[in-house]
Amino acid sequence: MSWRRSRLPSLAVLVGVLVLAAPAQSAPKVVVLGFDGADAQLTRQYMDEGRLPHLSQLAKEGQYSSLLPTNPPQTPVSWSTFATGLNPGRTEIFDFLRRTPGTYLPSFVAVDETHRSDFLFGENNGLAFAGIAASIGLVPLLFLLALRSRLGGGAKRKLALLGGGLLVGGAAAGWLVGSSLLPATVPDPLNNRRGQTFWEMAVESGMKARIVRLPLTFPAQEMEGLEMIGGLGVPDLRGVMSQPTIYTSRAGLDGGQFAIPVMKLEGDPSQPFETSIEGPRNLLFPEEASSSGEAAPRLSTALSLRALGGGVIEVNAGGTTSTVKPGEFSDWHEVKFAFNALFKAHGLVRFYNQSGTGPNDRIELVMSPVNVDPRKLSGLRWAAPASFGRGLGKRLGPFKTQGWAIDTFSVSEGLADEQHSLADALDTIDGFEALMVETLTDSDVDVFVQVFAFTDRLQHVFLRLQDPTHPGYDAEKARRYENVVREAYEKMDELVGKARELAPKDTTFLVISDHGFSQFKRGVNINRWLVNHGYLVLDPDPCLGAGGDGRTLDDLFERDRSELFANVDWTRTRAYALGLGNVYVNLAGREPQGTVRPGRPYRELVAELKTKLEALVDDQTGQRPVSAVHHRDEIYRDYDGAVIPDLRVANNPGYRVSWDTSLGGAPCQEVEDNVKAWGADHCSLDPQHVKGILFSNRPLTPGEEPQMADLFPTILTALEIELPPDLDGRSLL
């Protein structure tokens, strides 16, 4: 497969260069380009092969080094340490999931989504608007009263009634608007990351910062001197990380562990299919939820699909129509979801056509997650200030705003093929390249950061096709997609070259990644191991009868999360696993039904778990899936013991924590093949096995191998800002 060249007009680059040549602008002092998942070994290999000329030149001017990621080497974890210079114990971003203190229940680590704030006057909106309307009504009333001296008695009475009616009617209308059409409170998510960021320090020092798509920057931060486009953590309009929808005439499709909605198209294929697009839950007016305590209902909008023959589908969504050929994307469709007559959410969707081309073949479309329309006002703080985001939307046109922007979920569940995933990635790269040109060309900032995620997403799906021993290897697909990973790195190099053209020559220029990559051939079910060794007790154990213990993302985002551990007997359980390598002790005084006493019993259990897990052998391969088991004291400091997991299980290459274990499940095998298209990973590996990259156009100070925590003090040094005390890293300049 050959990658398309960027569709950006060369004129845009020329304009950018001319703008940079203008002497009136102040130059950025630091530019950082991040490439999620760019692996140190592969980068070195492609450099040695002469495939990365811009990165090679950057290394020649300054330095190239591998970069040790955080423990664990996960995207939200590493980038949070990058932003703050603090270890994951101190940022409290230590996984994609966290255990809610005082419970056994998981939640998404990035944001607290339960927080709400008053909208305008809150519960008093009705009274306030009644008062405002009544005050406005006083103006015509006073005018009418001024006319009374010129009128007779009958006219005066009519005038008084009219004036009183205006006053009372206005107050009533104000009450109606304030009490029924305006919400009393609105969702107000809070970022869970702890620690001060380098851009906050820069802005407080009188500088300007622009942060574009850096993970864990949702909600986008409102701060004078700061412009921000949120990255990983920005939800789609449905309120989840990224959820495409499948519209299909095929029977028997299932959304799998990623809980992808599958909408069945039934009826005469010669007639239009009338269906709908699901949008956000009505969280502005949650009282509309049923009295049984269910979640607020979802809003929806109409969708009509019509087969035109030869696999071509006509799509009518949001009042516009587009025609989609097999293997292609539709135009972007603007869709609206009405909370009431006043409040609407504006979204963008597009459709990928994977229908068959014969007369009786399936009709099937993959709809993108519902992105916030960047051109419209939105209560979802994906950008700050809001005018910055809307301005970009109006200049660039539609682009993706959700944090997880490339669809890796559909192909992982077998609901779409690799071609869809690749086409989506290529189009997404074009959009974010345009975003880089637009935001870096305007150089009136002191620090600029943009993170690209395509290197991570494409390796998740395509790296497995480079290893014939992988359970998910397919020889035909390997021939078709053999160059995808290499070309992803070449595109990274191209973007670096373009950014260097746009950035002033005296800028400190850094290229980094948050972690590297490894094959994910076998999944380790830590909870099943804990069950088999008597540390976790299930009653009943689903593996002793019919069925299994499969978990999906709906168990986290849509359903009652208490059901995740419904069959655990906590009175006999000493340890349990949750997330991508976390093991928690069922500690008395901390867990609701703790059985392990603090002190010596706790220390002995931790030591026992560490010894036995590190000795685990995969019977099928004869290999050790576990590289090391770390107690939190070994890898973190200054942490909250009620929040941070007791143990971190780090895997060897080829292994990762299983899909079910991450949500607290206990499938029946301790180790099992990973046959999903999502065949490469990094999340639970030992950081030594998945190192990232660090390029600098300035020489770095000698010493130990650079680590992610070093970037925070390095950026501050380049900005000539005094370093705060007690950091977990050192400046490399």
Side-chain angles (χ1 to χ4, degrees), residues 205-287:
S205 299
M207 300 181 182
K208 294 182 180 180
R210 183 171 293 151
I211 311 297
V212 180
R213 294 197 61 82
L214 177 68
L216 270 288
T217 49
F218 174 75
Q221 190 173 358
E222 299 279 355
M223 194 174 186
E224 186 69 29
L226 172 66
E227 293 174 328
M228 179 175 284
I229 302 295
L232 179 68
V234 177
D236 59 29
L237 265 186
R238 296 187 78 250
V240 295
M241 186 165 66
S242 178
Q243 200 166 57
T245 302
I246 310 297
Y247 294 88
T248 181
S249 60
R250 278 197 289 170
L253 291 188
D254 179 79
Q257 289 174 317
F258 286 103
I260 297 171
V262 177
M263 306 290 282
K264 186 72 169 65
L265 302 176
E266 297 179 325
D268 184 353
S270 66
Q271 300 297 316
F273 294 98
E274 304 299 334
T275 180
S276 64
I277 299 171
E278 283 196 341
R281 293 197 179 279
N282 192 350
L283 298 179
L284 295 186
F285 304 94
E287 62 274 8

Side-chain angles (χ1 to χ4, degrees), residues 116-158:
R116 297 181 70 89
S117 295
D118 284 347
F119 181 74
L120 299 178
F121 303 99
E123 296 291 343
N124 296 316
N125 277 336
L127 289 173
F129 274 76
I132 292 170
S135 299
I136 295 173
L138 282 174
V139 175
L141 177 60
L142 292 173
F143 175 73
L144 292 174
L145 289 175
L147 296 176
R148 289 187 64 191
S149 60
R150 305 178 186 180
L151 301 175
K156 287 181 180 181
R157 286 192 297 273
K158 292 179 181 179

Side-chain angles (χ1 to χ4, degrees), residues 361-614:
D361 278 334
R362 72 184 188 279
I363 298 171
E364 195 158 284
L365 295 170
V366 183
M367 188 188 77
S368 70
V370 187
N371 284 259
V372 174
D373 189 337
R375 301 164 297 180
K376 303 294 177 65
L377 283 172
S378 172
L380 193 72
R381 300 210 314 269
W382 65 274
S387 58
F388 174 58
R390 289 183 69 203
L392 289 171
K394 290 179 178 179
R395 292 193 297 275
L396 297 175
F399 61 84
K400 293 181 179 181
T401 54
Q402 69 185 80
W404 192 282
I406 296 172
D407 182 6
T408 54
F409 298 167
S410 297
V411 65
S412 182
E413 298 301 346
L415 297 173
D417 59 18
E418 284 80 3
Q419 182 56 36
H420 164 261
S421 187
L422 178 58
D424 187 44
L426 293 173
D427 191 80
T428 304
I429 294 167
D430 283 348
F432 292 155
E433 183 176 357
L435 192 61
M436 181 189 77
V437 172
E438 182 73 19
T439 54
L440 186 52
T441 296
D442 175 8
S443 62
D444 190 23
V445 292
D446 299 284
V447 56
F448 175 91
V449 179
Q450 181 166 349
V451 174
F452 292 86
F454 67 89
T455 34
D456 176 273
R457 309 302 186 255
L458 287 171
Q459 288 181 105
H460 275 308
V461 175
F462 292 96
L463 192 62
R464 81 188 196 282
L465 298 178
Q466 297 184 359
D467 184 354
T469 68
H470 195 292
Y473 180 81
D474 181 292
E476 181 180 348
K477 290 179 179 179
R479 287 190 294 271
R480 185 176 182 186
Y481 300 109
E482 62 181 350
N483 297 325
V484 167
V485 171
R486 188 199 74 213
E487 289 172 346
Y489 281 74
E490 291 172 347
K491 183 63 182 180
M492 172 177 71
D493 185 78
E494 180 186 324
L495 289 168
V496 169
K498 183 167 290 187
R500 295 208 73 189
E501 290 177 5
L502 297 174
K505 302 305 179 186
D506 58 351
T507 294
T508 298
F509 195 98
L510 303 174
V511 177
I512 65 173
S513 70
D514 53 338
H515 55 74
F517 251 84
S518 175
Q519 298 290 359
F520 171 20
K521 301 179 183 180
R522 302 268 285 164
V524 183
N525 293 313
I526 300 177
N527 275 327
R528 176 49 53 184
W529 183 91
L530 291 171
V531 169
N532 290 346
H533 289 77
Y535 299 107
L536 173 64
V537 178
L538 304 182
D539 186 14
D541 185 341
C543 294
L544 300 180
D549 192 26
R551 306 295 172 91
T552 76
L553 286 183
D554 273 353
D555 293 311
L556 179 64
F557 291 109
E558 298 292 311
R559 303 190 182 110
D560 183 354
R561 288 177 293 130
S562 63
E563 294 299 316
L564 286 171
F565 291 112
N567 60 331
V568 174
D569 184 347
W570 294 112
T571 65
R572 295 187 290 159
T573 288
R574 290 184 288 163
Y576 60 101
L578 181 67
L580 291 160
N582 305 319
V583 173
Y584 296 88
V585 171
N586 192 22
L587 187 64
R590 186 184 69 185
E591 263 69 9
Q593 301 180 59
T595 59
V596 179
R597 297 193 309 275
R600 183 175 177 180
Y602 171 85
R603 294 192 298 271
E604 290 179 345
L605 176 60
V606 164
E608 184 178 315
L609 288 169
K610 175 180 173 66
T611 299
K612 290 185 176 181
L613 276 167
E614 288 179 345

Side-chain angles (χ1 to χ4, degrees), residues 41-53 56 466 483 485-487 489-490:
Q41 291 184 353
L42 283 176
T43 300
R44 171 57 68 186
Q45 173 187 330
Y46 296 140
M47 286 175 64
D48 291 344
E49 294 173 359
R51 300 183 183 278
L52 308 179
S56 296
Q466 297 184 359
N483 297 325
V485 171
R486 188 199 74 213
E487 289 172 346
Y489 281 74
E490 291 172 347

